[in-house]
Amino acid sequence: MITILGGGPGGYTAAIRAVQLGAEVTLLEKEEVGGTCLNWGCVPSKVFLKGSKMYSQLKFAESYGVFAKPSPFDMRRLGERKNEVKQALVMGLKNVLRSYGVNIVHGEGRMIDEHTVVGPGGNIACDKIILATGCQPEVPHLFQELSVTYKDVFQLQYLPRSVLVVNGGVFAVEMAWFFLELGSQVTMVAENVLERDFEDIETRIASYLQNRGVKFVQGRIASIKKQGEQKLVEIGEEEIIAEELIWMNRKRVLEGIPRKLVQHESVAVNEHMQTAFPAVYAVGDITGSYTAGDAMAQGVVAAEHAMGNTTAYNPRTVPKVLYAPEAAVIGLTEREASEEYDVVKGNFPYGASGRAQTVGAIRGRVTILADKKYGEILGAHIVGKGASELIQLIGFAMRLEATIDELSSLLCAHPTMVEMIRDAGLDIHGNAFNLPRK
Amino acid sequence: MKMVMPKMGMTMEEGTIVEWKKREGEFVEKGEIILEIMTNKVNIEVEAPASGFLKILRGVDDVVLVGEVIASIEEKVPEAVEKAEVSRAMEDVPWKEPEFKPVRQEREVVEISVQEERTPASPRARRVAEDYGVLLENVRGTGPDGAVTEGDVLSYVGKRKSQEAFQSGLPGVSPLAERIAREKGIDLSRIKGTGLEGKITKEDVFRYMEEREKPERPRMQKELEPEKPGIEKEREPEIPRIEKEREPEIPRIEKEREPEIPRIEKSSEIELEQAIEKPMIRPEPVSQLPPIQTGATLAEPEHRVEEPIMHLEKPLGPEPEGKTLPLTGIRKLTAERMSRSKREAPHLTLGMDVDMTEASNLKTSLAVTYTDILVKAVALALRTHPQLNSTLSENRIVLRDTINIGIAVARGEDLLVPVIHRADALSLKKISQATADIIERTRKDQLKDTDVLDGTFTISNLGMYDIDFFTPIINPPEAAILGVGRITPRPVVVRNRIEIREIATLSLSFDHRIVNGVPAALFLKEVRNLLEHPYRLLMEEEP
Ligand SMILES: Cc1cc2nc3c(=O)[nH]c(=O)nc-3n(C[C@H](O)[C@H](O)[C@H](O)COP(=O)(O)OP(=O)(O)OC[C@H]3O[C@@H](n4cnc5c(N)ncnc54)[C@H](O)[C@@H]3O)c2cc1C
């Protein structure tokens, strides 16, 4: 019997996998299955980005002979569309869980010892526990009144003409991009534009944002004052005016978890996702990772290990994606790689790709890092259209431990974006088909 | 009739039993495949030499000398077998063997007793269990009184199915792991994979090598020994490999292969004498090094060397007398490499004077060292003379695609050659930082294995030891090495006048199999040119 706390990507993936391996599973969820990802994160934000992209693309349509005048953007309609998608996915997920016989308990749970969770109906005794309580928005108490969180953005009834996005990271950049595409004035206050995983492309992304008019500010918010419909925000020397302040900060939900398992505000785990109690596992955001992809990968590992397999989690082969402006990374960064390996690097610019040219996506680049000695694929970063899907192929090759030469032996339909992966691999030896001779 | 380990090839001395295809006591036909053996990493199927009942004398994984008895083919059922059949019948119900009447009798009894203490289960559960061939005892019941339900059986089957999906029986190996194993000469069949379905991953190979490196593994050593002759060639002892976290600087590859040469043998020092073929000057330290404190460092190599590394041939003739130093660790490796180099590569050494006055000015104004300037000049010259940046490999000359300059650096008694990778692409300033760093780390014993790997050309500077000229020995598998002598003010003729200039003598030793005299001379001239007009070294180009 396995009890899982939290029905986000970490929790529901673990539940399904555990049942597949023969376990009986109880899943406690206090709000809605799907967690942040389906309800307040990945899914809503991607629907929003689809809307803003269509809007901004009307401009480019003219060069393809399409003339259309954009009407004022309707946030409410977009919100409805988002709800439809979300509902469809939540319903689908519930059906899947039900088909596996996962016992879904609606309500808050709390772990009281290694083999007991207290739920709304009393104690639940179990052999193993998987903690997957995820994250919640966080705004300093002082500023709560005049701020909104990422959750609130997905419920906005109007389009603010100026926003201040507080904090950096992939999801904050996506948020900024959404408003940019809709023509709003965007300011970002952040120490780093993106997470460490993205360090090889961070400056590139920052310059995209800057070229589109994003203003970057560093420092702490000292005060927020109301000024008519707007807010006046004091950050160091600067004063920023914005209609909405959007806090992207997230806090790990650790309430139902014994303090003993918590270190530096996250739950400490080993490679099998086991906590300090061997019968208790933790997966997803509470372990310190920050994407749904990691949460799901960890969920599988925890379930398999709890059922007696020796699976281990390898964060290196989980891709990280920025949906807009589109980019993706996997594996080691150049700095990390060069600390351990003699690194060789292959590049391919989008402009040289037939497919990228035909779809008008000439801005971008594929870079693959490999070990010179054995040809191990160490990592990759892609900026440009299709990056979010292209990166998966490299991830797959890494998981199979294919060498760079095998990756570059890919046979492709033409013209396709994937050809760029092959050519970036070939470029390591200066043999790319679509680049001039070196 | 006795059956012996067959000789399946000229060189075969022993074979390992991989699998008996027939059971003990089973009737085998003459000519039928009954056994698989492995020799020289090849699996071979062996036929029954006669018809009869098989009696197995040597088990799976036994290593057996050619000609030793491994089984016999009997005319009657061997005695011990009858008992064994009974227990087999218990685990493995569907198996039938009509030959043995009495055995069958007992088996029925066994079946009944199993029936009696039967697991509580619903009739539907029994039906489903039968359909799927599931033993009910193995299924955890969730019904009343722990009875097994149909659902329990199905979920048990589901579990088994998902765990066993696509099991092919033959565990795979990842391309990367295969490549590494091939290069390291590792037999993949000895590695247990931990990847999907037991697939062998890179980590598995490394873990195996690490375990193998641990001492006290006599069996391993025995297994490895037969490989020696065949492997010698491809072993390509590179630059001493220094392990990052493991025992420092015991060259890995060598150690794996030849672990059991007696340690400090009395004759070691003669081997050294022979090996280096009389006092060739061995390449020594670079300018930044302080004088070597022999006394303090002499003991150092000893503690490092747990195991001997090299196999040097035993010399003939009487032992010489005198104080002996053990030939161990890096000293031993150096000895082997140097002797191999001299033995295999026909050396030719060219000398050329070079005016270092301008280089000396540059050195002062940029606060770089002569070594930095030399590295940069040599790297640039190699770009246009790729032959000097090559390796002889099985009758082919491989022009290396990167230029990685090794610098001979002394550490105590030892000589190491840390490498500046892609030196031609680095600015002089970058080279200066890199050399300072790598020399510092060499002296502090903090080199990583990547620091000493993949050198394509070596520079050895003995100027600070007041050596004017010497003939360096090539660092295999490289094609050439540049020796640098002392820089001294000398009178030279410049435009028909005698001037005092800073002069050094360069000596280029090269492998005459790869390079002829003229191209080598042209290369040396190019180096001189760059050193005499060192401002060319400052011109940065876009990579
Ligand atoms: C705006 C935004 C966009 C994002 N976009 C992406 C994206 O495109 N791609 C991506 O990979 N990631 C994205 N993320 C991150 C992603 O949402 C999270 O990494 C992921 O949801 C983490 O999964 P989880 O299972 O750890 O936690 P969550 O998804 O947060 O789920 C935890 C669940 O546990 C429940 N819970 C908490 N405590 C208890 C308790 N005591 N008892 C019962 N239930 C409890 C919660 O109600 C919640 O449903 C985004 C995040 C945000 C904020």
Side-chain angles (χ1 to χ4, degrees):
Chain A
M1 210 337 245
I2 296 181
T3 302
I4 299 177
L5 223 58
Y12 72 70
T13 309
I16 293 169
R17 187 66 187 135
V19 176
Q20 285 172 345
L21 295 178
E24 197 184 313
V25 174
T26 300
L27 177 72
L28 279 116
E29 170 54 61
K30 69 178 157 112
E31 286 172 28
E32 185 71 282
V33 291
T36 306
C37 182
L38 237 68
N39 298 289
W40 309 110
C42 329
V43 168
S45 67
K46 265 79 264 174
V47 175
F48 267 46
L49 283 170
K50 170 73 183 172
S52 65
K53 168 148 236 148
M54 285 172 97
Y55 184 83
S56 73
Q57 281 200 329
L58 288 179
K59 278 203 293 276
F60 303 112
E62 292 183 5
S63 64
Y64 289 85
V66 182
F67 293 86
K69 273 246 152 22
S71 51
F73 190 81
D74 186 348
M75 279 291 271
R76 269 190 233 173
R77 187 65 201 95
L78 180 64
E80 282 164 24
R81 176 74 198 141
K82 174 217 63 183
N83 287 340
E84 287 160 23
V85 173
K86 186 171 102 173
Q87 266 153 24
L89 287 171
V90 169
M91 229 156 65
L93 176 60
K94 281 185 176 159
N95 273 336
V96 172
L97 290 169
R98 222 173 284 133
S99 77
Y100 274 100
V102 173
N103 175 26
I104 303 176
V105 175
H106 190 82
E108 193 157 350
R110 190 159 48 87
M111 174 185 155
I112 49 175
D113 69 40
E114 247 183 299
H115 296 290
T116 323
V117 167
V118 202
N123 283 7
I124 308 170
C126 43
D127 304 316
K128 305 270 165 85
I129 299 174
I130 299 176
L131 304 169
T133 50
C135 276
Q136 262 188 349
E138 182 184 38
V139 182
H141 194 71
L142 196 63
F143 301 142
Q144 270 172 10
E145 203 183 320
L146 293 175
S147 304
V148 296
T149 68
Y150 55 84
K151 273 191 176 182
D152 302 322
V153 171
F154 299 126
Q155 327 236 58
L156 276 180
Q157 301 293 310
Y158 81 112
L159 175 68
R161 271 153 302 144
S162 58
V163 294
L164 173 67
V165 177
V166 184
N167 211 356
V170 265
F171 313 128
V173 167
E174 289 173 4
M175 189 65 87
W177 196 258
F178 168 75
F179 285 107
L180 273 181
E181 287 196 315
L182 296 179
S184 302
Q185 176 62 48
V186 179
T187 311
M188 270 188 98
V189 48
E191 287 295 310
N192 297 302
V193 179
L194 287 168
E195 288 85 355
R196 277 271 288 282
D197 297 316
F198 292 86
E199 72 180 4
D200 290 328
I201 55 171
E202 189 177 14
T203 22
R204 209 179 166 96
I205 299 297
S207 74
Y208 283 6
L209 291 167
Q210 245 156 351
N211 294 343
R212 284 277 199 120
V214 172
K215 180 174 175 187
F216 285 104
V217 191
Q218 286 202 330
R220 280 174 44 124
I221 295 183
S223 71
I224 307 175
K225 288 190 208 102
K226 219 173 155 152
Q227 198 176 70
E229 288 296 289
Q230 322 237 64
K231 280 118 203 169
L232 180 71
V233 186
E234 194 191 339
I235 304 170
E237 302 282 271
E238 307 224 29
E239 283 192 336
I240 314 281
I241 292 180
E243 271 180 66
E244 294 292 353
L245 253 89
I246 305 168
W247 289 75
M248 297 302 298
N249 302 36
R250 292 196 285 159
K251 185 179 80 183
R252 299 187 188 107
V253 179
L254 301 170
E255 279 79 24
I257 298 172
R259 277 314 293 180
K260 191 180 166 216
L261 301 183
V262 178
Q263 264 176 29
H264 308 297
E265 292 310 300
S266 63
V267 181
V269 286
N270 66 11
E271 56 182 347
H272 305 299
M273 308 319 295
Q274 275 173 303
T275 65
F277 297 136
V280 180
Y281 297 78
V283 300
D285 284 359
I286 50 168
T287 67
S289 59
Y290 59 94
T291 70
D294 284 288
M296 292 172 164
Q298 296 173 4
V300 170
V301 169
E304 293 191 347
H305 196 265
M307 293 305 288
N309 295 347
T310 53
T311 332
Y313 166 62
N314 176 6
R316 244 211 227 180
T317 51
V318 185
K320 304 274 184 307
V321 168
L322 171 67
Y323 285 83
E326 197 167 349
V329 298
I330 189 167
L332 301 178
T333 65
E334 290 182 25
R335 187 179 46 79
E336 288 165 343
S338 61
E339 279 167 12
E340 263 182 79
Y341 298 89
D342 187 3
V343 182
V344 287
K345 190 159 96 169
N347 281 306
F348 193 86
Y350 269 53
S353 149
R355 185 60 184 149
Q357 286 280 359
T358 58
V359 296
I362 52 168
R363 205 169 50 166
R365 169 183 293 267
V366 177
T367 302
I368 305 180
L369 311 175
D371 167 37
K372 182 166 173 211
K373 185 140 190 235
Y374 297 118
E376 176 176 4
I377 305 166
L378 302 173
H381 37 92
I382 305 176
V383 179
K385 188 183 169 70
S388 58
E389 304 290 338
L390 291 174
I391 200 79
Q392 319 294 334
L393 177 66
I394 299 176
F396 186 55
M398 286 172 76
R399 252 188 99 71
L400 293 187
E401 291 194 347
T403 63
I404 186 69
D405 303 324
E406 282 157 321
L407 180 62
S408 339
S409 72
L410 193 71
L411 301 180
C412 312
H414 175 78
T416 51
M417 295 294 229
V418 178
E419 290 172 302
M420 295 193 290
I421 303 268
R422 178 198 60 200
D423 272 14
L426 288 172
D427 179 55
I428 285 178
H429 304 298
N431 290 337
F433 287 105
N434 294 298
L435 290 178
R437 186 170 186 165
K438 281 198 174 168
Chain B
M1 174 180 188
K2 301 234 175 297
M3 183 177 172
V4 297
M5 174 62 75
K7 189 169 175 75
M8 308 295 273
M10 289 294 286
T11 54
M12 175 170 170
E13 281 163 11
E14 60 180 27
T16 310
I17 296 175
V18 177
E19 186 190 347
W20 284 102
K21 309 258 183 204
K22 294 286 171 180
R23 272 180 266 222
E24 174 86 4
E26 198 169 334
F27 186 82
V28 299
E29 296 267 359
K30 181 171 184 211
E32 208 181 345
I33 305 289
I34 57 166
L35 155 77
E36 193 176 324
I37 61 169
M38 181 174 74
T39 177
N40 298 336
K41 299 190 201 157
V42 182
N43 287 21
I44 300 170
E45 291 182 323
V46 182
E47 299 172 0
S51 298
F53 296 95
L54 178 66
K55 183 172 178 197
I56 296 173
L57 299 170
R58 303 296 293 265
V60 167
D61 284 343
D62 276 3
V63 180
V64 185
L65 289 179
V66 168
E68 260 183 55
V69 179
I70 53 176
S72 62
I73 311 286
E74 317 258 309
E75 278 172 15
K76 286 180 291 186
V77 186
E79 262 176 42
V81 175
E82 294 183 16
K83 282 231 172 65
E85 284 310 328
V86 180
S87 55
R88 193 167 285 130
M90 284 171 73
E91 350 162 320
D92 187 343
V93 179
W95 184 64
K96 289 215 172 91
E97 189 61 274
E99 258 87 342
F100 310 126
K101 285 258 153 65
V103 175
R104 217 214 209 144
Q105 200 60 35
E106 276 182 60
R107 193 166 56 126
E108 271 162 22
V109 175
V110 171
E111 269 181 359
I112 288 163
S113 74
V114 166
Q115 292 261 319
E116 267 169 6
E117 38 175 281
R118 62 192 220 161
T119 318
S122 73
R124 285 188 67 89
R126 278 183 203 289
R127 254 243 327 269
V128 178
E130 226 177 273
D131 287 352
Y132 284 99
V134 169
L135 278 184
L136 283 170
E137 304 99 271
N138 295 341
V139 182
R140 215 177 47 139
T142 61
D145 291 333
V148 175
T149 66
E150 183 189 6
D152 297 336
V153 177
L154 287 176
S155 75
Y156 177 83
V157 171
K159 172 183 167 185
R160 224 179 42 179
K161 254 210 284 203
S162 64
Q163 278 174 348
E164 289 167 5
F166 310 121
Q167 212 150 47
S168 60
L170 270 179
V173 50
S174 87
L176 183 59
E178 192 177 10
R179 197 182 264 198
I180 293 171
R182 196 182 329 125
E183 204 210 76
K184 305 268 183 205
I186 283 170
D187 177 2
L188 283 167
S189 68
R190 300 202 181 281
I191 303 183
K192 196 173 166 302
T194 62
L196 203 61
E197 313 293 0
K199 185 170 176 175
I200 298 168
T201 65
K202 173 186 82 166
E203 285 308 318
D204 297 330
V205 176
F206 282 137
R207 192 175 324 111
Y208 173 77
M209 286 184 352
E210 222 167 279
E211 271 163 23
R212 201 160 74 151
E213 261 175 50
K214 286 183 196 141
E216 92 270 335
R217 308 237 4 206
R219 211 179 100 81
M220 275 311 180
Q221 294 176 357
K222 188 155 168 270
E223 289 165 11
L224 290 164
E225 211 187 342
E227 294 181 3
K228 242 188 275 173
I231 290 273
E232 205 89 57
K233 254 271 187 46
E234 72 184 56
R235 200 197 314 136
E236 197 82 350
E238 301 146 297
I239 297 154
R241 230 202 129 118
I242 292 169
E243 289 310 303
K244 217 194 281 173
E245 271 151 4
R246 304 164 199 153
E247 315 121 282
E249 81 225 21
I250 297 184
R252 177 152 66 177
I253 301 170
E254 282 71 16
K255 202 177 62 178
E256 286 164 359
R257 297 261 162 69
E258 293 173 79
E260 82 259 62
I261 294 135
R263 186 110 48 112
I264 304 157
E265 271 207 338
K266 257 220 125 185
S267 57
S268 321
E269 78 282 3
I270 325 170
E271 291 166 3
L272 173 60
E273 290 286 331
Q274 279 228 330
I276 60 174
E277 292 186 355
K278 285 302 159 201
M280 283 310 304
I281 299 161
R282 53 174 149 117
E284 281 274 333
V286 190
S287 54
Q288 286 86 345
L289 295 182
I292 307 155
Q293 298 161 7
T294 335
T297 45
L298 206 118
E300 205 184 304
E302 259 165 339
H303 80 268
R304 292 191 199 113
V305 180
E306 248 99 69
E307 285 169 82
I309 293 162
M310 280 301 138
H311 179 80
L312 297 175
E313 290 126 66
K314 211 176 158 91
L316 301 168
E319 288 185 21
E321 288 170 9
K323 184 171 167 292
T324 63
L325 294 174
L327 181 54
T328 52
I330 293 184
R331 179 66 269 169
K332 190 158 187 163
L333 184 68
T334 310
E336 214 283 335
R337 292 167 60 77
M338 292 296 111
S339 64
R340 198 191 109 187
S341 174
K342 278 297 260 192
R343 197 169 56 234
E344 287 181 2
H347 280 54
L348 190 63
T349 305
L350 306 179
M352 190 180 279
D353 281 351
V354 42
D355 182 341
M356 294 292 281
T357 316
E358 287 299 316
S360 161
N361 293 340
L362 185 72
K363 167 180 183 278
T364 331
S365 65
L366 288 185
V368 292
T369 66
Y370 283 125
T371 305
D372 303 336
I373 297 174
L374 283 161
V375 169
K376 178 79 186 184
V378 165
L380 284 185
L382 285 173
R383 266 198 188 169
T384 43
H385 297 83
Q387 267 193 38
L388 276 292
N389 195 56
S390 64
T391 293
L392 189 67
S393 157
E394 292 165 11
N395 300 325
R396 278 178 315 140
I397 295 171
V398 181
L399 304 180
R400 307 290 299 270
D401 50 9
T402 54
I403 294 176
N404 306 327
I405 308 285
I407 309 171
V409 178
R411 188 186 60 209
E413 285 285 81
D414 291 333
L415 170 69
L416 290 175
V417 188
V419 175
I420 309 289
H421 292 101
R422 294 183 180 274
D424 60 321
L426 298 178
S427 66
L428 190 55
K429 205 166 133 233
K430 282 255 165 62
I431 288 182
S432 178
Q433 287 162 355
T435 43
D437 168 64
I438 212 160
I439 289 172
E440 170 86 3
R441 282 191 291 120
T442 307
R443 282 161 46 201
K444 288 194 176 152
D445 204 355
Q446 289 169 347
L447 285 180
K448 294 186 285 191
D449 53 357
T450 48
D451 290 332
V452 291
L453 286 182
D454 285 337
T456 61
F457 187 99
T458 302
I459 299 178
S460 175
N461 185 352
L462 287 181
M464 59 294 208
Y465 299 102
D466 289 355
I467 299 298
D468 289 323
F469 177 79
F470 63 105
T471 57
I473 302 181
I474 299 162
N475 187 9
E478 297 170 11
I481 180 168
L482 184 74
V484 182
R486 172 169 64 152
I487 300 172
T488 44
R490 284 185 231 166
V492 290
V493 178
V494 181
R495 284 181 227 98
N496 283 331
R497 284 175 39 196
I498 292 179
E499 277 187 26
I500 296 176
R501 308 284 293 183
E502 301 281 330
I503 302 294
T505 306
L506 303 180
S507 45
L508 177 74
S509 293
F510 57 93
D511 183 341
H512 212 327
R513 292 173 303 175
I514 305 180
V515 191
N516 285 336
V518 173
L522 290 177
F523 166 74
L524 195 54
K525 243 176 105 172
E526 170 86 19
V527 173
R528 181 182 68 182
N529 235 319
L530 286 163
L531 290 172
E532 294 186 344
H533 305 95
Y535 295 95
R536 280 174 55 197
L537 303 179
L538 296 179
M539 281 189 281
E540 300 289 339
E541 17 177 0
E542 276 291 284

